[in-house]
Amino acid sequence: MKFLITGANGQLGRCLADRLSHSDHTFVALTKSDLDITDEKAVEELVVECRPDVIVNTAAFTSVDRAESEPELARCINGEAVSYLVKAANKVGALLIQVSTDYVFDGASPKPYVESDAVNPLGVYGQTKLLGEEYAARADRFLIVRTAWVFSEYGHNFVKTMLKLGRERKELSIVSDQYGSPTYAGDLAANLIRMSEAQLPSGIYHFSGGKSCSWFEFAKAIFDVVKAYVPGYPVPGMLPISTEQYPTPAKRPLFSVLSDRKLKTALGTNVTDWSAALPAVIAKLIDVT
Ligand SMILES: NC(=O)c1ccc[n+]([C@@H]2O[C@H](COP(=O)([O-])OP(=O)(O)OC[C@H]3O[C@@H](n4cnc5c(N)ncnc54)[C@H](OP(=O)(O)O)[C@@H]3O)[C@@H](O)[C@H]2O)c1
């Protein structure tokens, strides 16, 4: 199959290109400077020229807090641009994979969210990603894949931030009352390829990295790996704090754990485990020489 990746310089875009380059598939990886997905004409021209079997839209306005002050831009990238990809995908008969987020939920559920649960985003980022889902569902063939708390060896993410702050500060205060599902972008990328190969029915699917945790527990897991594998690397003290003690421009769900039972049943695969991916990611992020 031929894949077209948008937003190819992001965490997922880069992991997807890595995995596709070790597969039997071909791909075209387009960064924002190759293709701005908010340019309707350019989207159509490039898709028609490439004639991909699968378009994976990893491009997004991902700054949750900045979206509160730039709602129009966030809506344009996360929402309207998806309608351009839908039109182009339909034109060439391609499958559209739209990557979405746990932040479409309000976090009030007592149990992991399934695909059919009611959505109620708390902030602009989640609202605009939900608009993107609504557009994606108009494609002739689509997979909307909600994921969460994405980390990798690339781009900006919580693991990288923790390592940086760990070098700069003696003690870190970390939110301990928001729960989610960390997800290694490489595992997500591998699953998106499998989902395309399996020709799953159009619909919404959840994919996350397995066991849930709080940001505090995630940070603890990061520094446990650092302690075990990188002797001498600075490890700060950690203080659990509440969401109230760490105000941010965007309100976040307190519990946005995703159930990925539907996808596992559809693919017949086992649970992935973000903590298994963590040491290799940290090794790549830390200069151990
Ligand atoms: N990161 C998370 O924790 C998380 C959680 C849940 C869901 N998701 C979803 O997962 C997907 C992948 O996330 P990620 O972490 O890989 O994001 P990322 O690292 O922020 O990458 C997004 C990429 O999209 C590019 N982009 C922005 N505007 C664009 C435009 N108009 N046209 C083309 N490209 C554009 C960005 O380029 P610039 O950097 O140059 O702007 C960036 O390279 C997104 O759909 C995101 O909403 C992410």
Side-chain angles (χ1 to χ4, degrees):
M1 283 187 286
K2 182 175 184 183
F3 287 73
L4 185 151
I5 308 168
T6 62
N9 222 9
Q11 299 194 77
L12 178 58
R14 292 185 69 181
C15 285
L16 198 50
D18 286 350
R19 271 139 196 88
L20 284 169
S21 53
H22 294 100
S23 77
D24 295 334
H25 303 295
T26 58
F27 68 96
V28 179
L30 302 173
T31 65
K32 188 168 153 188
S33 52
D34 300 321
L35 175 65
D36 178 343
I37 61 165
T38 64
D39 181 341
E40 184 171 8
K41 194 160 168 282
V43 168
E44 186 187 333
E45 280 173 5
L46 259 163
V47 170
V48 168
E49 188 191 315
C50 288
R51 300 203 88 76
D53 302 296
V54 183
I55 299 173
V56 189
N57 182 29
T58 76
F61 185 110
T62 52
S63 173
V64 175
D65 286 323
R66 204 152 55 80
E68 296 298 314
S69 52
E70 295 178 63
E72 282 314 314
L73 184 60
R75 184 187 161 94
C76 212
I77 298 169
N78 294 343
E80 303 304 331
V82 181
S83 71
Y84 310 151
L85 290 164
V86 167
K87 269 193 223 157
N90 288 350
K91 198 159 189 175
V92 299
L95 165 70
L96 175 66
I97 300 185
Q98 171 63 18
V99 184
S100 193
T101 173
D102 54 333
Y103 281 16
V104 296
F105 295 116
D106 61 15
S109 169
K111 55 182 179 26
Y113 283 96
V114 296
E115 288 78 354
S116 54
D117 279 334
V119 289
N120 182 30
L122 299 177
V124 170
Y125 171 72
Q127 286 157 8
T128 59
K129 291 296 291 183
L130 183 58
L131 182 65
E133 290 190 6
E134 286 161 6
Y135 281 125
R138 296 183 193 168
D140 295 337
R141 294 168 57 225
F142 69 89
L143 300 174
I144 293 166
V145 184
R146 294 187 185 133
T147 190
W149 293 25
V150 178
F151 68 93
S152 72
E153 56 273 46
Y154 302 122
H156 301 289
N157 58 66
F158 186 74
V159 179
K160 207 169 183 176
T161 303
M162 285 302 109
L163 295 176
K164 180 174 176 287
L165 291 178
R167 281 194 303 266
E168 293 170 359
R169 301 189 196 165
K170 285 216 157 24
E171 188 170 77
L172 301 180
S173 299
I174 321 258
V175 171
S176 62
D177 60 356
Q178 286 174 31
Y179 286 81
S181 318
T183 306
Y184 173 47
D187 289 338
L188 173 59
N191 267 273
L192 295 182
I193 298 168
R194 297 223 310 262
M195 291 173 79
S196 311
E197 292 167 343
Q199 302 196 356
L200 298 183
S202 290
I204 302 177
Y205 296 85
H206 289 174
F207 178 86
S208 66
K211 61 186 177 221
S212 58
C213 63
S214 68
W215 289 114
F216 179 81
E217 289 163 343
F218 191 13
K220 195 173 168 309
I222 293 165
F223 287 112
D224 282 349
V225 169
V226 170
K227 268 189 247 171
Y229 293 96
V230 198
Y233 198 86
V235 173
M238 276 182 285
L239 190 69
I241 56 166
S242 67
T243 299
E244 248 177 23
Q245 291 172 288
Y246 188 74
T248 52
K251 203 172 168 202
R252 287 161 167 78
L254 286 180
F255 181 89
S256 60
V257 177
L258 299 174
S259 160
D260 37 19
R261 201 177 334 134
K262 177 181 171 184
L263 183 58
K264 274 167 208 142
T265 307
L267 288 180
T269 54
N270 292 325
V271 194
T272 54
D273 180 359
W274 59 266
S275 60
L278 198 55
V281 170
I282 289 176
K284 286 178 190 156
L285 287 173
I286 286 180
D287 182 9
V288 280
T289 54

